[in-house]
Amino acid sequence: MDKQDTLAFDKQHLWHPYSSFTNPTPVFDVVRAEGVYLELGDGRKVIDGMSSWWCAIHGYNHPVLNEAIHQQLDKMAHVMFGGLTHQPAVELGKRLISILPQNLNRIFYADSGSVSVEVAMKMAIQYWYSKGLSNKNRFATVRGGYHGDTTGPMSVCDPVNGMHHMFRSILPEYYFVDRPVAATDDYFDISEMNQLRSVFEKHHAEIAAFIIEPILQGAGGMRFMAPQYVLECRKLCDEFDILMICDEIATGFGRTGSMLAIDQVGIVPDLLCLGKALTGGYMSFAATIASSEIANIISESEAGTFMHGPTFMGNPLACSVACASFDLLHAIDWRTNVIRIETQLKKGLLPLKNESKVADVRVKGAVGVLELKENVDMKTLQPWLLGQGVWLRPFGKLLYTMPPYIINNDEIDKITKVIAQAVQ
Ligand SMILES: *Cc1c(COP(=O)(O)O)cnc(C)c1O
């Protein structure tokens, strides 16, 4: 098929994320991707400022990751995980344990981030059920969060962004507190905890778990929060006997400057979700990790088993490439690179704070965000950005970048210059 056919068929028949058939935003075809560059059907090569939504931390077409998949492919692409196991699953497990707090050590492999959040929510409910507290089956969270698009995660996504009113008939109504104001510990005021405390005081008997994206709320608004806030959430969960779920699907693997965002807080959640960059952006894969206490209580219950088991659980190709991605992270010295990217993003973006169209600029780790005063016009902005040689995917009032860790400083400068031009 030539390029015209590709785009025409796509427009007629393929849904895209958050897309409309009758009022579509532009879609561009990619024929290759290499390093930090995407090559479009019309021959243009553009710098990828998105890491394909947090995933492609090592860039594209990486020889080491390719090789890991090739090697595994020649042994087996997939076998069921019910009653069978394999070395890639075990090897990945060892690597996960090596970056997790000691007590988080029971790993459930899931096929996507949303599923891993579903699994965490089900584990929380089954944990309390096993303890004879079947009414402890609701959730609390922070406004502005994003936890995935399937029904369970949707119920804890921001009620406005998540369009809860459209799904009222199937979404349970859970407890939401205002998002924290403090983005750094300098600004944190303990009175920020009052709302959560009062929700817990009133409803702890029915709340199974509190779920939060620690340090950085991603797709719900790209906002950072003070580590102290996350720490105080942990304390309140302990005080009121509520489990804490940390959704690190976006923040995991170094993005905010530490391997896990919780490393900046020093807490241990009861359940933790990883995904996105887990496979270096090669395949859809995720994991839910539970504390041994939760796993054991569920296991000793009347059902005796945790009731979830996806067909593609523990997929060997995904596990192999995830292992290779882990090893590569250490080999490239991810920490040095993330700090370098942070410095360079700050240099390019912070001076834009005073632009008339800009409401806020925030940079942390390998994430740079411009919040504008008005919504961006995707239909004109996106093609313009591509014309300038960078791939960014703005949404709402946000123009932001989270590039692959292999990006060099000139390429970062190119991204920040284009962003600057866009708002000037
Ligand atoms: C992307 C994301 C999810 C959902 O993951 P999918 O793989 O898209 O299902 C959940 N939580 C967070 C924080 C995310 O960024």
Side-chain angles (χ1 to χ4, degrees):
M1 271 209 284
D2 67 18
K3 171 173 177 265
Q4 232 38 52
D5 285 344
T6 304
L7 290 174
F9 184 93
D10 181 281
K11 199 168 183 174
Q12 280 292 318
H13 298 288
L14 304 185
W15 289 107
H16 284 263
Y18 308 96
S19 65
S20 157
F21 274 102
T22 53
N23 185 22
T25 48
V27 167
F28 307 88
D29 65 323
V30 180
V31 289
R32 254 183 84 79
E34 174 92 38
V36 289
Y37 288 89
L38 308 180
E39 188 180 326
L40 305 185
D42 58 15
R44 281 185 290 177
K45 286 190 184 160
V46 297
I47 298 173
D48 170 37
M50 297 301 292
S51 300
S52 285
W53 279 336
W54 315 92
C55 299
I57 50 178
H58 305 296
Y60 301 89
N61 208 6
H62 197 291
V64 173
L65 302 185
N66 288 7
E67 180 59 19
I69 295 219
H70 283 300
Q71 293 257 338
Q72 182 54 41
L73 186 58
D74 288 338
K75 293 183 198 138
M76 64 188 168
H78 184 66
V79 288
M80 62 190 283
F81 212 52
L84 299 175
T85 192
H86 43 77
Q87 205 185 355
V90 170
E91 284 300 316
L92 178 57
K94 287 182 187 166
R95 284 164 177 77
L96 285 169
I97 298 273
S98 77
I99 61 162
L100 288 162
Q102 206 176 12
N103 193 37
L104 277 181
N105 56 19
R106 310 286 200 191
I107 302 161
F108 188 104
Y109 292 129
D111 20 18
S112 74
S114 301
V115 171
S116 77
V117 173
E118 297 275 4
V119 164
M121 294 172 80
K122 284 174 72 174
M123 282 183 178
I125 288 175
Q126 234 188 295
Y127 169 80
W128 293 113
Y129 185 91
S130 303
K131 290 189 138 193
L133 296 168
S134 55
N135 287 335
K136 222 165 146 63
N137 59 5
R138 296 165 70 78
F139 293 87
T141 188
V142 182
R143 285 179 195 276
Y146 176 77
H147 299 286
D149 288 341
T150 57
T151 313
M154 202 164 50
S155 68
V156 285
C157 284
D158 185 83
V160 179
N161 291 343
M163 294 277 169
H164 282 205
H165 64 276
M166 289 205 284
F167 305 103
R168 190 163 284 151
S169 56
I170 53 158
L171 287 189
E173 280 181 36
Y174 291 146
Y175 301 106
F176 289 86
V177 297
D178 291 340
R179 66 183 175 80
V181 178
T184 70
D185 278 344
D186 296 347
Y187 295 100
F188 180 77
D189 181 333
I190 193 76
S191 68
E192 285 212 50
M193 306 315 296
N194 292 350
Q195 247 191 64
L196 190 61
R197 171 174 286 282
S198 110
V199 166
F200 281 6
E201 265 167 5
K202 276 195 211 106
H203 304 289
H204 63 92
E206 45 180 299
I207 297 176
F210 169 73
I211 180 167
I212 188 168
E213 295 155 273
I215 301 298
L216 170 61
Q217 289 188 311
M222 303 292 293
R223 290 192 194 89
F224 298 102
M225 66 184 75
Q228 180 81 26
Y229 178 80
V230 184
L231 175 68
E232 296 299 332
C233 289
R234 172 74 270 187
K235 286 191 202 158
L236 284 179
C237 287
D238 286 339
E239 186 180 335
F240 290 96
D241 231 1
I242 288 167
L243 299 179
M244 183 178 197
I245 304 173
C246 282
D247 177 350
E248 293 232 27
I249 292 166
T251 51
F253 305 102
R255 184 55 73 174
T256 65
S258 49
M259 181 57 92
L260 300 174
I262 53 167
D263 298 342
Q264 292 174 45
V265 187
I267 53 152
V268 185
D270 301 287
L271 292 152
L272 182 128
C273 300
L274 290 170
K276 290 203 161 109
L278 175 60
T279 59
Y282 268 54
M283 327 205 23
S284 179
F285 201 60
T288 309
I289 303 100
S291 68
S292 43
E293 196 216 339
I294 291 185
N296 292 346
I297 296 276
I298 290 174
S299 306
E300 284 160 11
S301 70
E302 138 216 332
T305 52
F306 176 58
M307 296 307 288
H308 205 101
T311 308
F312 283 95
M313 186 166 180
N315 175 260
L317 289 175
C319 289
S320 306
V321 73
C323 287
S325 176
F326 251 99
D327 299 344
L328 204 52
L329 259 182
H330 296 296
I332 64 162
D333 189 357
W334 62 269
R335 198 184 295 274
T336 304
N337 274 296
V338 170
I339 292 169
R340 172 183 62 81
I341 295 169
E342 177 178 271
T343 307
Q344 206 66 12
L345 285 175
K346 280 186 171 161
K347 217 155 72 183
L349 296 180
L350 292 184
L352 301 175
K353 251 188 177 138
N354 301 323
E355 291 295 328
S356 60
K357 290 184 190 161
V358 176
D360 189 28
V361 182
R362 347 184 232 273
V363 176
K364 190 182 176 89
V367 184
V369 185
L370 246 71
E371 186 170 326
L372 307 178
K373 290 176 183 158
E374 310 274 332
N375 278 348
V376 300
D377 177 10
M378 282 279 283
K379 278 190 187 174
T380 55
L381 185 57
Q382 187 122 70
W384 183 83
L385 291 166
L386 272 184
Q388 302 302 308
V390 303
W391 171 246
L392 295 172
R393 180 84 181 154
F395 73 90
K397 297 186 169 99
L398 301 173
L399 187 51
Y400 67 107
T401 181
M402 56 251 188
Y405 301 165
I406 57 158
I407 193 167
N408 69 33
N409 287 350
D410 289 343
E411 290 155 348
I412 298 172
D413 288 347
K414 169 100 192 203
I415 293 177
T416 57
K417 278 188 187 129
V418 171
I419 289 178
Q421 268 180 284
V423 298
Q424 277 161 354

